[in-house]
Amino acid sequence: MRLLVSAGEASGEMYGAQLMAALRRRDAQLEFLGVGGERMRAAGCEIVVDAKDLSVVGITEILSHLPKIYGLYQRLIKEADKRKPDLAIVIDSPAFNWRVARQMKKRGIPVVYYVAPQFWAWRLGRVRLLRDYIDKALVIFPFEEKFYRDRGVDAAFVGHPLADLPQPAISRDDYAAQFHLDAAKHWITLMPGSRIREVRTNLPTILETAAQLGRDYEFLLPVAPTLDRTFLQRLTGERPIALVPESLPALRHSRAGIIASGTATVEAAMMRTPFVMVYRVSTLTYMLGKPRVKVPRFAMVNLIAEEEVVPELVQHDFTAENVAARMREILSDGPAREHMLQGLTDVKSRLRGSESTQSQHPADRAAEIILELLRLKSLHN
């Protein structure tokens, strides 16, 4: 059996690698091809399109990259026509993946959407795309199952792939020695996003904030798999910023973080690292997108908690002065820090789901549903 897997950014690529490992544990003969990066390649996927080449964000940014994205999309579809997968799994990245899903559906190939797009947040009308082109939506937030089912989508909550993340094994002292950090100082993790445009937009203000907070802290910047280290080195310049390879150990051993909106905020919550959420897009993207937003909060942690657990500094509120002020509130011991730590603990509990879903990793639950779809397809054939 051959599966097409399409994951267009760092978080989706990580989920794809987890899912492929879970599928292979159940059926070692499965073959994979599609869109991904090094993690998915290491998990056994033949990469047709590199996820790095799809790393754009925002309405206006996507428009400027349309010819390139369309060419990559055509390459993937041609390869699918040649290899004829038995099932397609699309992961997040709706701007690219709903088109992939549509083409697979036209060819009679069952489609599973793992980490279904957050249409409940900003584009309710797009739910029809899932109804039309998706055979099964596997959702990772507990409220999504009812939302999608109420709108005619066959959805199942499998839990968040990050909810069962193990604590990194490396000790703080060993980590400090490995990356030449001062273990006597508090550390702050900086995560400006996993796409080039996000980083260019968010990182300068984050670096200004680091300068305001001063040399009493060590600053760690994990290099996302979709980014090149040299690109980040050019942006950080001579500033005392430690570029590190993985986010989880950095978050685990940091006192706090400055985190761009996205999956990294969930990673920080799973490590119980207090943080300030920041984000900025182009002025035009913000003007076009803001009226479509249907939720009261931006940070995923706050949406899950149904209250403000972490501060949200978005667009014009995202200034170095504002971020530094909110960071100082949570860097020191006190009510603000304790309230946030308790909120992050509650979010982790919600993401794990009920006791019936906690016995398995979300990727394992997703794998079993996918294999059942494959079994049903083979019976019908």
Side-chain angles (χ1 to χ4, degrees), residues 141-209:
F141 298 109
F143 55 84
E144 290 181 315
E145 183 177 85
K146 183 178 187 304
F147 171 85
Y148 279 120
R149 284 191 171 184
D150 286 350
R151 288 158 179 81
V153 178
D154 184 2
F157 171 59
V158 294
H160 200 292
L162 299 180
D164 292 321
L165 279 177
Q167 297 293 311
I170 190 169
S171 70
R172 194 172 189 276
D173 287 338
D174 288 346
Y175 194 81
Q178 184 175 345
F179 296 106
H180 311 292
L181 301 166
D182 187 345
K185 292 182 178 180
H186 284 318
W187 301 350
I188 296 173
T189 292
L190 313 176
M191 299 185 72
S194 63
R195 304 165 184 163
I196 290 172
R197 184 62 64 96
E198 280 181 318
V199 175
R200 284 194 174 130
T201 305
N202 294 325
L203 186 57
T205 305
I206 291 175
L207 294 175
E208 284 181 43
T209 305

Side-chain angles (χ1 to χ4, degrees), residues 159-268:
H160 200 292
L162 299 180
D164 292 321
L165 279 177
Q167 297 293 311
I170 190 169
S171 70
R172 194 172 189 276
D173 287 338
D174 288 346
Y175 194 81
Q178 184 175 345
F179 296 106
H180 311 292
L181 301 166
D182 187 345
K185 292 182 178 180
H186 284 318
W187 301 350
I188 296 173
T189 292
L190 313 176
M191 299 185 72
S194 63
R195 304 165 184 163
I196 290 172
R197 184 62 64 96
E198 280 181 318
V199 175
R200 284 194 174 130
T201 305
N202 294 325
L203 186 57
T205 305
I206 291 175
L207 294 175
E208 284 181 43
T209 305
Q212 288 194 19
L213 292 172
R215 293 182 177 268
D216 290 340
Y217 302 96
E218 290 275 19
F219 297 97
L220 287 62
L221 201 168
V223 181
T226 47
L227 299 173
D228 289 322
R229 186 182 179 89
T230 52
F231 163 68
L232 291 172
Q233 285 173 329
R234 285 198 302 271
L235 290 178
T236 56
E238 298 299 314
R239 298 175 183 86
I241 308 292
L243 299 185
V244 296
E246 294 181 78
S247 58
L248 296 182
L251 288 166
R252 174 69 184 87
H253 296 304
S254 286
R255 180 71 173 178
I258 304 172
I259 316 288
S261 179
T263 302
T265 63
V266 180
E267 290 184 349

Side-chain angles (χ1 to χ4, degrees), residues 1-5 24 29-35 44-49 74-88 104 107 109 377:
M1 303 291 271
R2 183 175 293 125
L3 281 68
L4 181 144
V5 184
R24 276 260 171 84
Q29 302 304 310
L30 289 173
E31 296 178 14
F32 301 98
L33 72 149
V35 181
C45 186
E46 180 185 334
I47 301 300
V48 178
V49 173
Q74 288 288 90
R75 184 195 304 172
L76 179 67
I77 301 306
K78 285 178 183 175
E79 192 64 22
D81 285 341
K82 185 165 71 175
R83 305 286 292 281
K84 301 191 185 311
D86 297 283
L87 182 140
M104 296 302 102
R107 288 155 173 78
I109 298 167
K377 185 194 178 196

Side-chain angles (χ1 to χ4, degrees), residues 71-376:
L72 297 170
Y73 162 76
Q74 288 288 90
R75 184 195 304 172
L76 179 67
I77 301 306
K78 285 178 183 175
E79 192 64 22
D81 285 341
K82 185 165 71 175
R83 305 286 292 281
K84 301 191 185 311
D86 297 283
L87 182 140
I89 303 165
V90 293
I91 304 172
D92 207 358
S93 303
F96 184 82
N97 274 332
W98 80 259
R99 292 172 171 83
V100 175
R102 179 176 63 182
Q103 292 301 321
M104 296 302 102
K105 191 71 173 176
K106 280 184 179 179
R107 288 155 173 78
I109 298 167
V111 182
V112 173
Y113 215 128
Y114 183 42
V115 189
Q118 294 160 15
F119 291 149
W120 42 266
W122 62 292
R123 299 187 89 170
L124 293 178
R126 287 270 169 122
V127 172
R128 64 178 174 77
L129 299 176
L130 295 189
R131 272 200 311 270
D132 293 345
Y133 304 126
I134 303 298
D135 293 273
K136 190 80 174 183
L138 304 179
V139 300
I140 62 172
F141 298 109
F143 55 84
E144 290 181 315
E145 183 177 85
K146 183 178 187 304
F147 171 85
Y148 279 120
R149 284 191 171 184
D150 286 350
R151 288 158 179 81
V153 178
D154 184 2
F157 171 59
V158 294
H160 200 292
L162 299 180
D164 292 321
L165 279 177
Q167 297 293 311
I170 190 169
S171 70
R172 194 172 189 276
D173 287 338
D174 288 346
Y175 194 81
Q178 184 175 345
F179 296 106
H180 311 292
L181 301 166
D182 187 345
K185 292 182 178 180
H186 284 318
W187 301 350
I188 296 173
T189 292
L190 313 176
M191 299 185 72
S194 63
R195 304 165 184 163
I196 290 172
R197 184 62 64 96
E198 280 181 318
V199 175
R200 284 194 174 130
T201 305
N202 294 325
L203 186 57
T205 305
I206 291 175
L207 294 175
E208 284 181 43
T209 305
Q212 288 194 19
L213 292 172
R215 293 182 177 268
D216 290 340
Y217 302 96
E218 290 275 19
F219 297 97
L220 287 62
L221 201 168
V223 181
T226 47
L227 299 173
D228 289 322
R229 186 182 179 89
T230 52
F231 163 68
L232 291 172
Q233 285 173 329
R234 285 198 302 271
L235 290 178
T236 56
E238 298 299 314
R239 298 175 183 86
I241 308 292
L243 299 185
V244 296
E246 294 181 78
S247 58
L248 296 182
L251 288 166
R252 174 69 184 87
H253 296 304
S254 286
R255 180 71 173 178
I258 304 172
I259 316 288
S261 179
T263 302
T265 63
V266 180
E267 290 184 349
M270 296 306 100
M271 295 297 107
R272 289 190 78 242
T273 304
F275 66 94
V276 174
M277 189 222 85
V278 300
Y279 208 70
R280 183 183 290 121
V281 293
S282 73
T283 302
L284 182 56
T285 293
Y286 186 74
M287 288 172 59
L288 292 173
K290 192 173 188 302
R292 303 182 181 197
V293 174
K294 306 299 181 186
V295 290
R297 301 174 180 90
F298 287 95
M300 191 54 65
V301 166
N302 293 340
L303 287 170
I304 296 162
E306 300 178 274
E307 64 172 312
E308 184 171 297
V309 172
V310 301
E312 301 180 358
L313 298 176
V314 177
Q315 210 66 7
H316 305 300
D317 292 332
F318 175 23
T319 66
E321 292 74 20
N322 286 347
V323 181
R326 301 309 295 267
M327 285 293 289
R328 291 187 183 102
E329 292 175 6
I330 59 174
L331 282 164
S332 58
D333 289 325
R337 183 176 178 85
E338 286 306 310
H339 174 75
M340 189 177 295
L341 286 169
Q342 183 56 55
L344 297 178
T345 300
D346 293 343
V347 165
K348 182 169 185 174
S349 176
R350 290 190 185 207
L351 282 182
R352 293 191 68 195
S354 64
E355 288 185 17
S356 62
T357 61
Q358 288 182 22
S359 58
Q360 282 184 303
H361 188 278
D364 289 304
R365 293 194 288 277
E368 290 182 357
I369 293 169
I370 288 165
L371 289 174
E372 178 62 15
L373 285 174
L374 280 171
R375 188 185 70 82
L376 290 172

